[in-house]
Amino acid sequence: DNLWQGAASLVGAPACGFFPRYSYGALALPAKRSNNVWSDLLLLGGMDGAGQCLNDVWRLSVRSSQFHRQHGEMRPQCRWTCTSPHDQGRIDGLGRRVLQKWRGR
């Protein structure tokens, strides 16, 4: 719920490999405990800035109870984690591409 109260927006993070990204899927995860101060969002696949379809998964955790000043604005504390990196698959002995994950879209 905290992610959708206007306290967080998706902005490029300098050390985060998720951006630039377009047409990705998002799934809000329920809090594990009622006293949890972190809200989590899974970001799935999409296209990078070069138009390549990706099948990676990222977790964006937003700490809703603490804000810090960044560029003159108060922003929530965020943590980006790549939980499943992009996988192109491998070519088998018959020349077919074998994927371990879903095809990027």
Side-chain angles (χ1 to χ4, degrees), residues 19-22 46-54:
F19 293 100
R21 188 70 61 107
Y22 310 95
M47 291 188 303
D48 65 9
Q52 177 185 6
C53 294
L54 303 171

Side-chain angles (χ1 to χ4, degrees), residues 78-92:
C78 299
R79 181 173 56 208
W80 286 91
T81 308
C82 182
T83 59
S84 179
H86 176 67
D87 182 14
Q88 294 278 18
R90 61 175 177 77
I91 305 298
D92 69 4

Side-chain angles (χ1 to χ4, degrees), residues 2-91:
N2 294 325
L3 287 172
W4 307 115
Q5 294 175 355
S9 61
L10 291 182
V11 295
C16 175
F18 182 77
F19 293 100
R21 188 70 61 107
Y22 310 95
S23 302
Y24 53 86
L27 175 67
L29 299 178
K32 296 176 191 144
R33 296 179 300 276
S34 61
N35 63 350
N36 190 9
V37 296
W38 289 93
S39 296
D40 293 322
L41 182 69
L42 288 182
L43 300 156
L44 311 160
M47 291 188 303
D48 65 9
Q52 177 185 6
C53 294
L54 303 171
N55 61 9
D56 55 351
V57 179
W58 287 79
R59 178 187 297 259
L60 170 60
S61 300
V62 178
R63 188 170 184 160
S64 56
S65 64
Q66 282 190 338
F67 287 78
H68 68 279
R69 186 167 296 283
Q70 178 180 353
H71 305 294
E73 298 179 21
M74 293 301 287
R75 295 201 179 238
Q77 182 181 2
C78 299
R79 181 173 56 208
W80 286 91
T81 308
C82 182
T83 59
S84 179
H86 176 67
D87 182 14
Q88 294 278 18
R90 61 175 177 77
I91 305 298

